[in-house]
Amino acid sequence: MTVIIGCGNLLRSDDGAGPMLIRKLWELGVPPGVRLADGGTAGMDVAFQIGDAEELILVDVCETGAEPGTIYELPGEEVETPPLKDVNLHDFRWDNAIALGRWLLKSRFPKKVTVFLIEAENLSHGFGLSSTVEAAIERLANELLQRLGGIVSET
């Protein structure tokens, strides 16, 4: 089974890209063997969503200074971060969840972890994505469906 988790805050404009991607995939149709989860902003929730996945895909936004809407694909092991000493739940992010999941699940941890990061244009308070990030979500949703054997949108 493949688990796709969208992370981010719907109340911070483009930061909601991960959860909005999950909604987009639901609209387009989820292929068999794929489970979707809205990871929101709670990294611990991400850790518990990993479950019995053979493949884990995480989606979030980033701010690197690149062109907004740029999509990066990274192996999970390149971005996983062990939880810091004395970390609290508010500071526990998806990169910590990957490390925790690897430690907790051991041999049951997904064989493949991929992280997709979408370059944000606007991270200010407010609901709704910039048109640039919305277009990136459309591209990424279609790419994921193509890879996972789903029906690709014509738009």
Side-chain angles (χ1 to χ4, degrees), residues 4-88:
I4 303 174
I5 303 174
C7 302
N9 185 342
L10 290 168
L11 301 177
R12 298 282 316 252
S13 302
D14 288 344
D15 194 34
M20 295 304 284
L21 174 89
I22 297 302
R23 291 179 184 184
K24 181 58 142 178
L25 289 170
W26 271 115
E27 288 174 12
L28 295 174
V30 183
V34 175
R35 183 166 54 85
L36 304 177
D38 178 345
T41 60
M44 192 60 75
D45 289 347
V46 171
F48 290 112
Q49 289 292 338
I50 295 171
D52 57 352
E54 295 170 16
E55 178 179 6
L56 173 63
I57 298 171
L58 290 165
V59 180
D60 200 1
V61 296
C62 62
E63 193 174 31
T64 67
E67 184 72 28
T70 300
I71 300 170
Y72 302 96
E73 181 176 354
L74 305 164
E77 55 273 4
E78 285 187 16
V79 291
E80 81 178 63
T81 306
L84 303 173
K85 184 179 178 190
D86 299 327
V87 71
N88 63 50

Side-chain angles (χ1 to χ4, degrees), residues 63-111:
E63 193 174 31
T64 67
E67 184 72 28
T70 300
I71 300 170
Y72 302 96
E73 181 176 354
L74 305 164
E77 55 273 4
E78 285 187 16
V79 291
E80 81 178 63
T81 306
L84 303 173
K85 184 179 178 190
D86 299 327
V87 71
N88 63 50
L89 288 179
H90 183 74
D91 295 331
F92 192 89
R93 303 175 319 246
W94 58 258
D95 52 338
N96 305 131
I98 296 172
L100 177 67
R102 187 179 304 282
W103 177 77
L104 279 175
L105 297 171
K106 302 201 181 344
S107 66
R108 294 181 303 129
F109 188 75
K111 305 290 184 258

